[in-house]
Amino acid sequence: MKSFFYKPEGAWAADFIPFCEDGTFHLFYLHDWRDPAQHGEGTPWYQVSTNDFCHFSEHGEMLPRGTKEEQDLYVFTGSVIKARGCYHIFYTGHNPHFKKNGKPAQGVMHAVSDDLLHWRKVPQHTFYAPQDRYEPHDWRDPFVFWNREAEEYWMLLAARVRTGPSRRRGCTALCASRDLARWQVREPFWSPGLYFTHECPDLFAMGDWWYLVFSEFSERCVTRYRMSRSLSGPWLTPANDTFDGRAFYAAKTASDGERRFIF
């Protein structure tokens, strides 16, 4: 029996990174073979697209994984944005082998495209967590958007501050840029001291409210959200602050201008 939900043949779909344009949802995702003996180590990004969530067009590999000597052996989660005349992906470059050499396991990386199908990595734009404020190996899942009020691009990140109880150092970090090439690391966007990490941050406005979505990296394995009338907070916790159950993790949203879907 054919499953209602998309699954790549011979592999698994991990975190989805949705982007919508002209009614088509472009769903980038982590392509995971779970078979290093046959396929090697690491995960690239692949893409499928759909107009109805029942029929999917497969577009293949978008961001290839790097080597064991490169930052993005694992091409982990990020975001897609159209800005400054082209498309941009900001993603996590993860290499667990770097730790033993004293290098950060994770860095934020950049790729660009003219058509959403052919991507060029820009390795010189890679940047890392400032170690005077943040732990070096948790610096991932960049979500980029244009802040109209501040007239600059903002990037939210899953990060961990250096102080406080070990399992409660998770925060949503904030970086800012005017050109999408150079990023200034600022004080955390939201740092409640509650969770180990706030994975896969996502942010959107609906009506009079802003919604901040994140996934709690713990044994709970849930996607949570907070609400605020302003980007500066305070961020309020609704009575039921989760989407679905334990299996609904690493969820991110996209809108076609009328409806918003969570993937």
Side-chain angles (χ1 to χ4, degrees), residues 48-66:
V48 297
S49 62
T50 182
N51 296 309
D52 59 11
F53 303 109
C54 294
H55 304 90
F56 296 88
S57 297
E58 296 185 335
H59 304 288
E61 186 177 74
M62 297 290 107
L63 293 180
R65 57 194 164 173

Side-chain angles (χ1 to χ4, degrees), residues 88-190:
H88 302 258
I89 285 177
F90 291 91
Y91 67 98
T92 307
H94 176 76
N95 191 326
H97 305 290
F98 279 9
K99 281 186 178 182
K100 62 185 178 183
N101 298 323
K103 299 179 181 179
Q106 296 182 345
V108 171
M109 305 187 75
H110 187 198
V112 295
S113 172
D114 294 322
D115 59 6
L116 286 173
L117 294 174
H118 303 90
W119 293 87
R120 176 176 59 86
K121 295 180 181 180
V122 191
Q124 63 268 30
H125 290 172
T126 303
F127 71 100
Y128 302 91
Q131 297 188 32
D132 60 329
R133 285 179 277 175
Y134 294 102
E135 294 186 359
H137 306 303
D138 289 276
W139 191 247
R140 61 182 177 274
D141 306 343
F143 173 80
V144 176
F145 69 101
W146 173 252
N147 184 330
R148 293 180 182 177
E149 295 180 7
E151 295 186 336
E152 59 189 4
Y153 297 97
W154 277 17
M155 176 188 291
L156 305 184
L157 289 158
R160 282 170 52 82
V161 296
R162 296 192 65 90
T163 59
S166 176
R167 297 197 61 81
R168 296 188 175 188
R169 294 182 184 178
C171 74
T172 302
L174 172 64
C175 304
S177 174
R178 293 191 180 276
D179 60 7
L180 295 173
R182 295 162 293 183
W183 292 90
Q184 178 189 52
V185 181
R186 296 185 177 169
E187 292 303 306
F189 181 78
W190 185 58

Side-chain angles (χ1 to χ4, degrees), residues 206-226:
M206 185 178 291
D208 296 330
W209 292 91
W210 285 95
Y211 293 86
L212 174 64
V213 179
F214 66 98
S215 289
E216 179 189 338
F217 185 63
S218 74
E219 68 281 358
R220 294 294 302 278
C221 288
V222 293
T223 299
R224 299 187 181 275
Y225 73 98
R226 297 292 185 267

